[in-house]
Amino acid sequence: MRIIDLGGEANYWRLFDRQMLADKGVHITLVNPGGVDDIWDEELFSLIDGDACDLPQFADNSFDLVHSNSVIEHVGDWPRMEAFARECRRLAPAYYVQTPYFWFPIEPHFSAPFFHWRSEQSRARALMRRRHGFRKGPRHRRGHARCPARPSAGQGPVPLPLPGRSPPRRSGPGPDQERDRGPG
C-alpha cells in the first residue's frame, strides 16, 4: 500500500505496529516544506521537500491513500486550503484528512478555551505576552523569548483558520464526512 502523508512526520507512524505495516507492504511518502529530519526507518519512508498544495511531480492516483493529520489549517487562506483539498483528491482514490473543528471550544494549537474565537488583534496581543521557545529576541522569564515589539506581532503568528461546518465555498465534489463525537 502506497501512502502519502501530507505534512506528516515519521514519529506519528510509531502509533502503528512496524511488523503489521511491513506485512501489509506499506510504504509512506512524507511531504513537508523543508523536508523531515527524524526518519527512523528508511525502508518504510520516502521524503519529499514540497508544497502539499502543489505536487506536480506525482501523476493522478499515484498513491493508494492520502493521509493528513491536522495540516490543512496550516497551509494558508481558503484558496490554499482548496488547493490542498484538490491535491488530496487527485493523488489517491482514498484519503483521510483530519482537521480541528472550529466550533469546538478549545483551540487545539494552544490548548486555550475560546482563543480561536477572539479577534485577530486580541490573539496577537495574547501571543505577544506568551512565552515562546522558538523566537529570538529579548528574554522573558525562564529563558523563553517574547515577541519583541507590538508592530511585529502581525508579522509573527499567522492566523490559523480552522475549517468550520460551512466553508465559504466548495472546491468540487466532497468526501463523506465523519464528525468526531469525542470520548465514548
Side-chain angles (χ1 to χ4, degrees):
M1 173 176 251
R2 299 161 302 156
I3 298 174
I4 186 167
D5 186 347
L6 302 178
E9 296 182 4
N11 279 335
Y12 168 84
W13 293 94
R14 288 185 188 268
L15 295 169
F16 301 91
D17 180 66
R18 175 61 180 100
Q19 189 58 50
M20 185 267 311
L21 294 172
D23 292 346
K24 302 283 184 192
V26 171
H27 182 80
I28 302 164
T29 301
L30 300 169
V31 177
N32 280 289
V36 177
D37 297 332
D38 63 342
I39 296 302
W40 50 270
D41 187 330
E42 293 191 11
E43 280 184 42
L44 180 61
F45 298 103
S46 296
L47 302 176
I48 301 293
D49 178 357
D51 178 358
C53 298
D54 183 27
L55 295 167
Q57 66 267 46
F58 298 113
D60 293 358
N61 293 316
S62 292
F63 298 90
D64 300 306
L65 175 71
V66 171
H67 179 90
S68 177
N69 188 17
S70 295
V71 173
I72 193 169
E73 73 272 18
H74 294 277
V75 301
D77 57 12
W78 280 107
R80 295 243 333 134
M81 287 184 188
E82 290 175 337
F84 181 92
R86 279 191 301 275
E87 285 296 86
C88 289
R89 289 190 301 268
R90 184 184 73 77
L91 291 169
Y95 48 91
Y96 170 83
V97 177
Q98 185 278 335
T99 185
Y101 183 51
F102 177 80
W103 294 109
F104 187 72
I106 307 298
E107 202 287 337
H109 302 93
F110 301 103
S111 299
F114 316 116
F115 184 78
H116 53 303
W117 293 340
R118 294 166 65 177
S119 71
E120 189 171 340
Q121 290 175 328
S122 173
R123 291 192 314 260
R125 278 194 306 274
L127 288 173
M128 285 173 38
R129 290 189 303 268
R130 185 179 176 150
R131 294 184 313 270
H132 297 283
F134 56 88
R135 279 244 193 232
K136 293 180 181 177
R139 291 294 190 196
H140 186 49
R141 64 181 177 213
R142 296 189 200 149
H144 294 280
R146 284 178 59 166
C147 186
R150 194 172 293 270
S152 68
Q155 298 164 5
V158 175
L160 299 175
L162 301 180
R165 199 173 282 194
S166 300
R169 56 193 152 103
R170 298 215 17 100
S171 58
D176 293 334
Q177 294 183 12
E178 286 191 31
R179 292 208 173 88
D180 198 358
R181 289 170 178 56

